[in-house]
Amino acid sequence: MSEERSGAVILVESLARQGVEFVFGYPGGAVLPIYDALFNDARIRHILVRHEAGAAHAAEGYARSTGKPGVVLVTSGPGATNAVTGIADAFMDSIPLVVITGQVPTGLIGSDAFQEADTIGITRHCTKHNYLVKDPAELAGIIDEAFRIATTGRPGPVVIDIPKDVQIASAQWNGAPPQKESRYNPQTRGSDKDIARAIELLANARAPIFYTGGGVINSGPHAADLLRQLQELTGAPVTSTLMGLGAFPADHADWLGMLGMHGTYESNMAMNQADLVVCIGARFDDRVTGRLDAFSPHSTKIHIDIDRSSINKTVTVDLPIIGDCGEVLEQLIAAWGNRKPQNLSDWKARIDGWRTRKSLAYPRDPQAIMPQLAIERLFELTKHLDPVISTEVGQHQMWAAQHFHFFGPNKWLTSGGLGTMGYGLPAAIGAQLGNPDSLVIDIAGDASIQMNIQELGTATQYRLPVKVFILNNEWMGMVRQWQELTYESRYSESYSDSLPDFVRLAEAYGWKGIRIEDESQLDAGIQAMIDHPGPVIVDCLVAKEANCFPMIPSGAAHTDMILYGDSVAGTMDDEAKALV
Amino acid sequence: MMKIKQEQSERHVLTITVDNEAGILAKIAGLFTARGYNIDSLTVADISENHSISRITIVTHGPPAVIDQIHAQLDRLVPVHKVVDLTEMGAHVEREMALVKVAGTGDARVEALRLADVFRAKVVDTTTSSFVFELTGTPDKIDRFVSLMRELGLVEVGRTGVVGMMRGAEAA
């Protein structure tokens, strides 16, 4: 039965039909009709954030930890522009979001009206797709397509900009799914010929390596299982990008750790010496490859990716396979049959040799807690709880990637592509809502945590037992480290001056605050954090000038890693400085 | 001191079939600026009976790897149905139209008219001291005509940019 409904009601009904549980948002003038339609809606729970950037990151954390799309609702103008960082973040890291922005009434668009911004123009290149809705009759179809675009193919954010008059005006609506042929049908299966060739290469390789990324996580938990199966069949060692951590269990004998700029010695050396690199759902990012002309110079390269534009973007590959990681892995496993891999014992022996460098080892400091040690203890004391970990961006993020270990997908939430400080706390809030029974910890730095510190209030309001573990070294540590290594220790503006008292700040927001000042308090402090049923900030004071190693300096090859104990020159040439 | 490096580049003609929706041109033109690609010319017009589909022709130049990226990045946009690299596909026709205004009297005026005849340009407007020529052809041909007119009193040039199509009976 078809009835007249307002745009706002059609929107809310369409969201409910998509199974949306949570909307992360912040009200304002241009979305009042939608907020009125949401009022007391029993199906959709609105989570009121404290800043729209928090809404977008919380939706990302929810999406990344549950595999479901995150939904954001913000007003026009500043509401939309504040959300842009989170939208851009989701675009870079392929996180499915549907972002609904209010817009000034159709007749005022272009008139510099109060709280008007060209949201469609601003988000054009940081969304997978965006819409300006001009007629409420189009809404149901657009929302249906938006969810499809956000969640299939390479996932990403979709913005739907809805002028206020379109929210109020009515259209016929019958509640049935829109009957429209879809124009978005990404290719998900590899061709049989390519699969056969890939199997041929895998079966004949003497020094193969799997280089996996966030695509395996995006493909769903079954893709991680299939990766494990294919690894078992072929015996090839596995390394992963920052975004892919958790797809392969970190306690496996063939796990090499993360690769790239702060990756392990064994993973980077193995990439350099491999004769076959099988890239699954990763994109040869500059943080992974180091100097391009020295990247894995002797290998044949297979690249499995659902996005054709990722193929040959920075590294030319020999065999591209366009498809969904999970589906292609399934095809590969089926095609492998009863084959036997080559004897890889020489290759494994070389890898074991590289492992003996113990590249993640660090010197202990009798006066201070080493940040790496703090992460190690946090891991040891929480691993039996299978926690969800989010991070901010900087040294603490890399130490968490190196020293916290993951055994399954969707447990590790971090801003990889855009590198957004302030991501971790709202992401943890979103993850906690999606995983109410899990221990969710934001591993943070003293600088990053302040970028979205206002979201402490959100966790308080919804009684979310989120934990924030701050490695406090009183520096923007990664900036300081680069200045030490490349600008002769001229620490230009990287000192975290005037830090708040994080314990009292926690208490002011109704959180528990714990300070850890000495190694002897470390385990007890972490345990107290775990045991407290509500939200906790741990202010863990760590060694102030510890560096994050191993490190491949920008512009260097995988074989030019800096390890602890190496002497490091204080400057770099302009070519290297010009790289990000 | 560091210097910015330049790479060898080739010219390619791309045709892009898109949904005729608001902002699509900004999306495509913006993709080129955002990713640092070049646009030498761009034409766009509605080509369907119900005004739902447009065809865009872009002439671009860049190293082969960049051209391949342009193709892939365009393909990734939801409203884009099809991207054809005419240069890559082989035998194709490229045409551009120009309006060329030339002013002068005496010998120059006669010479302009004679050259227009050689180039099969049509006179679409005239005064006693000027012509507007309409000329269709490859971009090269138009370049040559315009450079000849420069000596004979060129006043103004308007060009449409290239449209292109594969030769033969099939749709590309």
Side-chain angles (χ1 to χ4, degrees):
Chain A
M1 201 181 67
S2 191
E3 288 171 76
E4 283 280 319
R5 285 280 193 274
S6 73
V9 169
I10 295 173
L11 169 68
V12 170
E13 292 300 325
S14 303
L15 293 179
R17 207 173 60 73
Q18 290 289 340
V20 173
E21 308 170 275
F22 297 107
V23 170
F24 299 90
Y26 202 103
V31 281
L32 285 174
I34 299 172
Y35 272 85
D36 195 51
L38 275 174
F39 189 62
N40 282 342
D41 189 291
R43 299 160 297 179
I44 298 172
R45 192 161 165 220
H46 181 274
I47 303 300
L48 179 66
V49 294
R50 299 299 183 264
H51 184 284
E52 290 87 350
H57 294 315
E60 285 187 276
Y62 171 81
R64 191 73 175 163
S65 64
T66 63
K68 298 180 222 168
V71 179
V72 177
L73 172 58
V74 295
T75 193
S76 62
T81 56
N82 280 343
V84 165
T85 301
I87 295 168
D89 193 273
F91 188 56
M92 285 284 258
D93 285 344
S94 309
I95 309 294
L97 294 189
V98 173
V99 181
I100 293 144
T101 56
Q103 183 54 276
V104 301
T106 320
L108 287 182
I109 289 178
S111 71
D112 301 321
F114 177 64
Q115 294 197 325
E116 181 183 1
D118 175 13
T119 304
I120 292 302
I122 291 168
T123 61
R124 192 165 279 137
H125 303 295
C126 59
T127 51
K128 195 170 165 188
H129 193 51
N130 63 15
Y131 303 87
L132 174 63
V133 186
K134 291 190 169 156
D135 182 345
E138 296 173 348
L139 253 175
I142 284 176
I143 291 159
D144 206 60
E145 187 180 75
F147 274 86
R148 185 182 163 85
I149 290 169
T151 55
T152 58
R154 180 177 178 176
V158 177
V159 164
I160 307 175
D161 198 28
I162 313 179
K164 196 173 182 182
D165 55 330
V166 176
Q167 300 167 29
I168 294 167
S170 65
Q172 287 290 314
W173 182 74
N174 63 10
Q179 301 294 316
K180 200 181 154 202
E181 203 188 321
S182 179
R183 56 179 170 163
Y184 183 70
N185 298 297
Q187 178 186 339
T188 58
R189 276 181 76 79
S191 77
D192 292 343
K193 188 169 131 268
D194 290 343
I195 297 291
R197 170 116 174 84
I199 289 298
E200 202 59 36
L201 288 166
L202 262 168
N204 289 313
R206 295 184 173 277
I209 184 168
F210 287 114
Y211 148 45
T212 65
V216 181
I217 313 271
N218 278 338
S219 189
H222 73 289
D225 292 339
L226 293 165
L227 173 65
R228 224 161 292 187
Q229 286 177 38
L230 184 65
Q231 193 280 329
E232 226 155 86
L233 294 172
T234 60
V238 181
T239 182
S240 164
T241 66
L242 181 70
M243 294 308 294
L245 294 177
F248 194 74
D251 55 355
H252 195 287
D254 286 312
W255 170 243
L256 297 173
M258 182 172 76
L259 83 166
M261 184 172 272
H262 293 289
T264 63
Y265 187 75
E266 51 271 30
S267 63
N268 286 329
M269 289 304 289
M271 283 297 279
N272 183 266
Q273 293 295 308
D275 68 356
L276 176 70
V277 170
V278 185
C279 170
I280 311 176
R283 58 184 178 87
F284 299 92
D285 177 81
D286 56 76
R287 284 293 181 275
V288 158
T289 60
R291 203 176 88 214
L292 274 173
D293 60 12
F295 173 72
S296 195
H298 319 293
S299 63
T300 302
K301 297 176 186 72
I302 302 174
H303 188 181
I304 302 165
D305 203 298
I306 197 149
D307 180 1
R308 187 172 95 74
S309 74
S310 286
I311 308 281
N312 294 336
K313 184 163 63 178
T314 55
V315 170
T316 308
V317 297
D318 303 278
L319 176 60
I321 301 178
I322 295 166
D324 170 70
C325 292
E327 226 169 300
V328 172
L329 281 167
E330 212 168 316
Q331 289 178 278
L332 289 171
I333 290 165
W336 180 270
N338 298 320
R339 278 164 219 266
K340 290 273 167 289
Q342 300 293 314
N343 180 354
L344 300 182
S345 53
D346 281 358
W347 177 228
K348 300 277 174 83
R350 289 180 73 193
I351 288 171
D352 286 341
W354 294 321
R355 286 187 203 270
T356 62
R357 288 294 295 264
K358 299 215 172 303
S359 60
L360 295 179
Y362 55 92
R364 295 292 278 264
D365 183 337
Q367 309 300 326
I369 304 171
M370 287 303 278
Q372 297 93 328
L373 177 73
I375 302 278
E376 279 176 6
R377 294 313 302 159
L378 185 66
F379 170 68
E380 287 300 333
L381 293 170
T382 60
K383 63 181 177 188
H384 63 289
L385 299 167
D386 198 16
V388 175
I389 301 294
S390 73
T391 73
E392 311 286 336
V393 170
Q395 282 184 322
H396 68 275
Q397 177 191 28
M398 292 299 112
W399 282 318
Q402 293 171 337
H403 297 278
F404 211 97
H405 303 293
F406 299 92
F407 307 98
N410 306 101
K411 301 290 182 191
W412 166 247
L413 324 172
T414 196
S415 171
L418 198 64
T420 309
M421 294 168 74
Y423 167 89
L425 172 56
I429 287 170
Q432 187 77 74
L433 284 160
N435 303 269
D437 301 325
S438 294
L439 173 64
V440 181
I441 309 170
D442 171 28
I443 297 177
D446 52 84
S448 278
I449 190 62
Q450 294 183 80
M451 282 228 187
N452 273 319
I453 193 88
Q454 76 286 347
E455 299 307 327
L456 292 174
T458 307
T460 310
Q461 180 177 347
Y462 297 99
R463 296 189 167 51
L464 302 172
V466 172
K467 319 297 180 197
V468 175
F469 191 85
I470 302 173
L471 295 179
N472 185 345
N473 60 7
E474 296 178 20
W475 287 97
M476 293 162 214
M478 194 58 95
V479 175
R480 191 206 57 73
Q481 175 170 342
W482 279 55
Q483 288 172 333
E484 178 187 333
L485 299 180
T486 61
Y487 292 91
E488 296 166 323
S489 299
R490 289 186 295 278
Y491 295 144
S492 183
E493 300 297 328
S494 50
Y495 182 66
S496 295
D497 211 322
S498 307
L499 280 175
D501 178 332
F502 286 113
V503 171
R504 286 168 63 192
L505 184 73
E507 287 162 3
Y509 271 103
W511 288 43
K512 183 184 173 68
I514 297 173
R515 181 163 294 118
I516 299 175
E517 294 175 88
D518 188 83
E519 215 175 291
S520 64
Q521 306 167 322
L522 191 53
D523 282 15
I526 293 169
Q527 196 57 50
M529 175 194 86
I530 300 166
D531 292 343
H532 183 69
V536 183
I537 287 184
V538 177
D539 184 19
C540 183
L541 308 186
V542 296
K544 292 194 199 317
E545 297 192 358
N547 282 332
C548 183
F549 292 130
M551 177 178 182
I552 302 173
S554 52
H558 275 174
T559 46
D560 298 333
M561 266 166 284
I562 306 172
L563 302 176
Y564 260 110
D566 289 346
S567 64
V568 178
T571 191
M572 259 186 187
D573 62 22
D574 286 355
E575 256 83 9
K577 272 186 190 166
L579 294 165
V580 280
Chain B
M1 289 308 244
M2 193 184 89
K3 293 277 187 293
I4 303 292
K5 294 187 186 86
Q6 301 293 343
E7 274 187 280
Q8 201 68 22
S9 75
E10 14 181 277
R11 173 183 180 275
H12 281 245
V13 182
L14 309 176
T15 65
I16 308 153
T17 315
V18 299
D19 282 330
N20 193 6
E21 61 184 35
I24 179 64
L25 189 58
K27 211 176 187 92
I28 288 181
L31 183 140
F32 276 72
T33 34
R35 295 190 182 266
Y37 308 145
N38 302 295
I39 297 181
D40 298 339
S41 80
L42 184 154
T43 68
V44 55
D46 170 7
I47 54 160
S48 60
E49 228 171 304
N50 62 358
H51 310 294
S52 65
I53 302 284
S54 285
R55 175 153 156 150
I56 297 174
T57 310
I58 292 183
V59 181
T60 181
H61 66 270
V66 171
I67 300 288
D68 188 53
Q69 264 297 302
I70 292 174
H71 194 147
Q73 292 289 352
L74 287 169
D75 252 337
R76 188 152 93 115
L77 302 177
V78 174
V80 168
H81 292 263
K82 194 166 69 176
V83 182
V84 178
D85 183 340
L86 295 179
T87 310
E88 195 67 41
M89 297 277 288
H92 64 276
V93 188
E94 280 176 41
R95 285 296 178 270
E96 185 177 3
M97 194 191 87
L99 294 175
V100 181
K101 184 178 284 184
V102 181
T105 51
D107 285 353
R109 181 173 162 83
V110 176
E111 184 60 18
L113 195 61
R114 187 161 37 218
L115 284 171
D117 188 45
V118 171
F119 277 80
R120 295 195 183 85
K122 258 183 8 197
V123 177
V124 291
D125 177 72
T126 182
T127 67
T128 53
S129 61
S130 71
F131 291 116
V132 175
F133 297 116
E134 175 199 313
L135 175 65
T136 311
T138 62
D140 266 4
K141 174 178 163 186
I142 292 171
D143 286 348
R144 272 181 287 127
F145 183 71
V146 170
S147 82
L148 288 169
M149 288 304 123
R150 206 159 267 138
E151 292 174 37
L152 299 171
L154 181 73
V155 175
E156 203 178 349
V157 186
R159 297 172 69 150
T160 57
V162 170
V163 291
M165 195 169 278
M166 294 304 299
R167 291 185 183 276
E170 310 295 318

